[in-house]
């Protein structure tokens, strides 16, 4: 493994710009100048994106901007001792010691472990004092190499251990819980798993020793993690989650009083977190890790999210798990319509099901092998599509209450189907099942009953409550609403009003690019396919408008960034534009998210206008899609193809030209300022 830091990556007592963006840009350029990365703009963009999520300034005049980036070819540390210091968002003022930690996107565990050692060393006063006293670039390199295990270990103190318990003498004078010294366990993790994860672990460990608390920490970094022993967790009085991402295997901590925070608070306020955990240990009403928690959606730290954000996250989880049932089943149905298989009349009068039940490869129906195989594909596809509402409800409940919510969610979804409540009933049933399961899981059950809670008690009671409410009170009203919607759309299909429906669906598909509004429109279209037929083509029209409009944003951004006006887009955006061609062609609206995230006020309105144009034209041309997904790759299931292509191209052109016009004539001040940042020369 090559040296992570060299004298050429060190800058002493220099000014690299007036703000942190200039400093990060300069350090990124130095990494590229040494042949350790390929694109300074891309490395800066990745580090800056991390900085925007959470500022990397730390107490003591330290800053550690960092990123995993595809532009990095060799794990690197670029260091600057600034004069004057620059504000990186630390509570105590500007930073004069700045490390840019640059890791390859797919860095090996050994490399990530080396980089994490640096972060942990920064928590030691001897290490930072040595950096401030260093006279030459070589002195800095020697100190850093010793700290990260690449040089003479005598050059700097060894990093603190990953986790440690308080000394007995300290524990005797510390706080107690139920007559014994307080015992706390903690988990730390950050988005990249390189720096903040380990700094928070060491800060909490040191604070535990200082306060006389027996505290053991599990840092969950990118280089892996060593799980706390089960007996340590069992003996703990409370748990601290200082995390920015999901806690892995969170079910190990079920039932423990919990204090949650972002990872940075674990660095800046470790004693306060420990005090809160000790207080929670003695409070019977303190929040606890859900007995339903294992891994997955429910493990995510959502305590600080607004209710709107939580519901959005929950619905998107349900839809994301539902889509494979829909995509696979829908494509199978579309394939069954191929002329050399069953043809469009493969299920005339329900004959496909009769063929599958009554015939076999050695006993073919009158239509021969083609009819038989077409019928098989159709029946499998319809069976898969039949899980749509149940899967949606089941995984909505899963997103709320984890695995104990799946069974009551699926049951509530099946009841919604039984009551003809459609996908709206599935959403309502899933929410009811999930929140009921979560409420039951939070009950302080006796220890002897806890083992039965997630596998028996919670699914049983949540199924009774959620499905009972659907049957007794909610199913019929929702079914009436769904019937009204379907009747309204069917009536409009023979009038010019269907074009208005196309406009509305196009706007919804392009509003949040894979978000809840987009998914509601998509789920509505897919749910209607089950009732589609030659006599009732409206669901096919709706499906075509939804799919075609959903392809517009990524294709428009690809067109604008790679063909129409390349210079208006950053190098990173141009790279994303290349990928967006394929994503858009495959009907993956999320391909436009990198553009919308960077410039929402210009990208989203332009996308919505193009989507509305495409939705209207698709309806006007009578375009029908028998497949729920696939874009241009399911042209065989779309008719007329010319109408589909004309509607799509028109929307892409409209959105592409609009976003370019917006970028030229409507430039938000903050974006303009970022684009105009002066290039900073790399110090010699």
């Amino acid at each position: 493994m090559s040296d992570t830091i060299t004298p050429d990556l060190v800058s002493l007592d220099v000014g690299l710009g007036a703000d942190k963006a200039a400093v990060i840009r300069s350090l990124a350029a130095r990494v590229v100048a040494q042949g350790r990365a390929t694109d300074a703009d891309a490395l800066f963009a990745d580090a800056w994106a991390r900085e925007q999520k959470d500022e990397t300034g730390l107490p003591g005049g330290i800053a550690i901007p960092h990123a995993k980036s595809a532009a990095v070819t060799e794990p690197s540390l670029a260091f600057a001792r600034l004069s004057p210091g620059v504000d990186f968002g630390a509570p105590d003022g500007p930073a004069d010691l700045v490390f840019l930690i640059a890791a390859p996107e797919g860095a090996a565990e050994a490399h990530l472990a080396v980089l994490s050692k640096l972060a942990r060393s920064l928590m030691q006063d001897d290490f930072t004092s040595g950096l401030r006293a260093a006279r030459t670039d070589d002195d800095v390199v020697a100190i850093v190499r010793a700290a990260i295990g690449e040089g003479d270990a005598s050059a700097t103190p060894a990093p603190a251990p990953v986790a440690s318990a308080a000394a007995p003498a300290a524990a005797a004078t510390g706080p107690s819980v139920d007559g014994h010294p307080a015992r706390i366990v903690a988990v730390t993790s950050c988005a990249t798993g390189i720096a903040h994860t380990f700094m928070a672990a060491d800060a909490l460990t040191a604070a535990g020793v200082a306060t006389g608390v027996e505290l053991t920490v599990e840092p969950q970094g990118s280089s892996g993690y060593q799980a706390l022993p089960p007996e340590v967790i069992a003996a703990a009085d409370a748990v601290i989650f200082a995390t920015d991402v999901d806690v892995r295997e969170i079910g190990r901590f079920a039932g423990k009083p919990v204090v949650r925070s972002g990872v940075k608070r674990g660095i800046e306020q470790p004693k306060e977190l420990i005090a809160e955990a000790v207080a929670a240990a003695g409070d019977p009403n303190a929040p606890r890790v859900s007995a339903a928690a294992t891994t997955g959606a429910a493990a995510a730290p959502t305590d600080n999210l607004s209710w709107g954000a939580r519901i959005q996250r929950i619905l998107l989880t349900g839809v994301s798990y539902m889509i494979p049932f829909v995509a696979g089943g829908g494509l199978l149905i579309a394939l069954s319509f191929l002329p050399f298989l069953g043809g469009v009349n493969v299920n005339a009068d329900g004959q496909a099901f009769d063929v599958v039940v009554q015939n076999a490869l050695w006993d073919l129906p009158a239509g021969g092998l083609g009819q038989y195989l077409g019928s098989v594909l159709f029946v499998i596809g319809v069976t898969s599509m039949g899980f749509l509402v149940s899967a949606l409800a089941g995984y909505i409940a899963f997103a709320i209450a984890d695995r104990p919510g799946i069974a009551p969610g699926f049951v509530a979804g099946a009841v919604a189907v039984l009551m003809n409540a459609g996908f709206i009933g599935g959403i309502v049933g899933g929410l009811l099942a999930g929140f009921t399961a979560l409420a039951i899981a939070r009950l302080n059950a006796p220890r002897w009953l806890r083992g039965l809670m997630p596998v028996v008690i919670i699914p049983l009671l949540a199924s009774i409550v959620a499905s009972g409410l659907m049957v007794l009170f909610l199913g019929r009203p929702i079914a009436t609403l769904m019937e009204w919607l379907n009747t309204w759309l069917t009536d409009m299909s023979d009038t010019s009003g269907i074009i208005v429906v196309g406009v509305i669906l196009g706007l919804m598909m392009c509003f949040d690019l894979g978000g809840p509004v987009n998914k509601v429109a998509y789920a509505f279209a897919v749910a209607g396919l089950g009732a589609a037929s030659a006599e009732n083509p409206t669901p096919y029209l709706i499906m075509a408008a939804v799919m075609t409009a959903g392809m517009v944003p990524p294709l428009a951004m690809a067109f604008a960034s790679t063909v129409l006006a390349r210079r208006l887009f950053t190098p990173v955006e141009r790279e994303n534009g290349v990928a967006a061609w394929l994503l858009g062609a495959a009907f993956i609206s999320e391909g436009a998210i990198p553009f919308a995230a960077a410039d929402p006020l210009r990208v989203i309105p332009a996308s919505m206008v193009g989507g509305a144009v495409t939705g209207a034209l698709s309806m006007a041309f009578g375009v029908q899609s028998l497949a729920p997904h696939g874009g241009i790759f399911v042209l065989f299931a779309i008719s007329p193809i010319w109408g589909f292509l004309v509607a799509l191209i028109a929307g892409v052109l409209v959105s592409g030209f609009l976003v370019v016009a917006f970028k030229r004539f409507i430039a938000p001040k903050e974006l303009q300022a970022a684009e105009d940042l002066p290039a900073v020369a790399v110090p010699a």
Side-chain angles (χ1 to χ4, degrees):
M1 185 166 59
S2 61
D3 293 334
T4 307
I5 186 170
T6 66
D8 292 327
L9 293 171
V10 176
S11 304
L12 293 181
D13 303 319
V14 296
L16 299 183
D19 56 27
K20 60 182 180 179
V23 174
I24 296 172
R25 192 183 293 278
S26 178
L27 293 175
R30 181 175 280 278
V31 173
V32 172
Q34 300 308 312
R36 305 171 78 97
T38 57
D39 187 335
D41 287 337
L43 176 54
F44 167 77
D46 291 330
W48 187 250
R50 175 63 184 86
E51 193 75 23
Q52 295 298 98
K53 293 179 181 177
D54 190 11
E55 294 180 309
T56 55
L58 301 169
I62 302 166
I64 48 167
H66 54 280
K68 289 182 182 179
S69 174
V72 177
T73 57
E74 192 173 349
S76 302
L77 299 173
F79 171 75
R81 191 169 68 197
L82 300 177
S83 179
V86 170
D87 183 14
F88 272 78
D92 60 348
D96 64 322
L97 302 181
V98 181
F99 277 97
L100 173 63
I101 305 177
E105 199 167 45
E109 289 187 5
H111 290 140
L112 295 172
V114 167
L115 297 177
S116 66
K117 287 180 182 178
L118 167 77
R120 308 186 68 190
S121 297
L122 287 167
M123 301 304 296
Q124 303 175 54
D125 291 338
D126 289 346
F127 179 73
T128 54
S129 297
L131 292 175
R132 289 192 170 96
R135 296 186 177 183
T136 67
D137 298 348
D138 289 327
D139 290 342
V140 170
V141 170
I143 293 171
V144 175
R145 283 182 179 170
I148 63 178
E150 291 184 354
D152 182 3
S154 65
T156 192
V162 170
S164 62
T173 60
S176 63
V177 176
D178 295 335
H180 62 77
R183 296 186 288 258
I184 307 295
V185 292
V187 175
T188 61
S189 62
C190 65
T192 56
I194 298 174
H196 289 77
T197 297
F198 298 94
M199 298 177 80
D202 284 349
L204 286 166
T205 298
V209 173
T211 56
V213 170
E214 296 182 16
L215 188 141
T216 312
V217 189
E218 179 184 295
Q220 296 187 351
S222 292
S223 57
Y225 69 100
Q226 183 174 356
L228 292 172
E231 61 271 18
V232 172
I233 297 175
D237 300 304
V239 58
I240 296 170
F241 290 152
T243 61
D244 289 340
V245 295
D246 293 357
V247 175
R248 302 176 214 178
E249 297 183 279
I250 195 174
R252 297 172 293 156
F253 305 95
K256 295 291 181 183
V258 62
V259 173
R260 298 178 186 263
S261 79
V263 70
K264 200 170 181 183
R265 190 172 179 228
I267 301 171
E268 297 176 349
Q269 299 178 339
K271 290 184 179 180
E272 289 84 345
L273 279 176
I274 291 173
E276 291 173 18
V278 172
D283 182 1
N285 297 317
R288 294 176 179 269
V289 181
S290 170
T294 53
T295 58
T302 60
D303 289 36
N304 296 323
L305 294 179
S306 67
W307 271 106
R310 288 190 190 187
I311 294 298
Q312 173 178 332
R313 181 173 184 164
I314 289 165
L315 294 180
L316 290 182
T317 299
V319 172
S320 68
Y321 280 100
M322 175 200 78
I323 285 177
F325 290 94
V326 173
L331 289 173
L332 286 171
I333 293 173
L335 288 171
S336 73
F337 294 149
L338 288 172
F340 57 85
L341 291 176
V344 293
N345 295 318
V346 64
N347 193 43
D349 299 323
Q351 65 179 355
F353 292 88
D354 293 336
V355 167
V356 168
V357 172
Q358 298 174 8
N359 298 100
L361 283 173
W362 54 89
D363 182 20
L364 295 174
L369 181 61
Q371 182 187 6
Y372 180 70
L373 294 179
S375 299
V376 169
L377 293 176
F378 183 87
V379 169
I380 295 174
V382 168
T383 303
S384 177
M385 291 281 287
F387 286 100
L388 187 157
V389 175
S390 293
L392 176 64
Y395 287 106
I396 284 175
F398 166 74
I400 299 169
D402 214 272
R403 282 191 291 184
I406 292 180
F410 264 84
V411 173
V415 169
V417 174
L418 176 68
M419 303 292 291
N420 294 318
F423 83 98
I424 294 179
I427 291 174
V428 173
L431 292 172
L432 286 172
F435 283 116
T436 302
L438 183 62
I440 297 170
R442 286 179 171 174
L443 295 176
N444 192 14
R447 184 178 295 272
W448 60 269
L449 187 60
R450 289 178 187 172
L452 293 175
M453 289 290 287
V455 294
V456 178
I457 307 299
I458 297 173
L460 172 65
L461 296 181
S463 295
I464 293 173
V465 172
S467 296
L469 288 173
M470 287 295 296
V471 172
L472 297 175
F473 301 107
L474 300 174
R476 292 294 296 275
I478 296 173
T480 301
L481 173 63
M482 290 297 297
E483 183 179 356
W484 177 83
L485 284 173
N486 289 327
T487 302
W488 175 64
L489 287 173
T490 301
D491 291 342
M492 291 186 72
S493 64
D494 296 326
T495 71
S496 59
I498 196 67
I499 296 177
V500 177
V501 176
V503 171
I504 294 172
L505 292 173
L507 291 171
M508 292 178 69
M509 288 301 296
C510 301
F511 174 70
D512 52 1
L513 307 173
V517 176
N518 170 288
K519 295 308 184 192
V520 165
Y522 178 71
F524 177 74
V526 171
L529 287 180
S533 65
E535 294 75 26
N536 178 29
T538 301
Y540 293 144
L541 295 171
I542 292 172
M543 191 71 252
V546 162
M547 183 161 67
T548 312
M551 296 168 67
V552 168
L555 290 176
M557 295 308 109
F559 171 61
S561 63
T562 65
V563 177
L564 194 57
R566 290 173 53 85
R567 66 181 184 82
L568 294 178
F569 295 84
T570 67
V572 174
E573 286 177 321
R574 291 196 290 269
E575 290 180 9
N576 288 330
V578 174
W581 281 113
L582 180 59
L583 294 173
F587 178 39
I588 301 175
S589 302
E590 289 85 346
I593 286 178
F595 298 90
D599 191 3
L601 297 180
R602 292 183 282 190
V603 170
I604 291 177
S607 297
M608 290 177 67
V609 174
V613 169
T614 292
L617 290 177
S618 177
M619 289 295 193
F621 296 149
V623 180
Q624 300 182 24
S625 175
L626 308 184
H629 213 287
I632 66 170
F633 300 101
V634 291
L635 283 177
F636 61 85
I638 297 173
S639 66
I641 293 176
W642 68 265
F644 165 78
L645 294 176
V646 170
L648 177 62
I649 292 170
V652 169
L653 291 176
V654 169
S655 286
F657 280 106
L658 267 181
V659 77
V660 168
F662 290 164
K663 282 182 175 290
R664 283 178 174 163
F665 303 114
I666 306 176
K669 293 180 180 179
E670 64 275 12
L671 292 176
Q672 191 67 47
E675 292 165 359
D676 292 341
L677 278 175
V680 181
V682 181

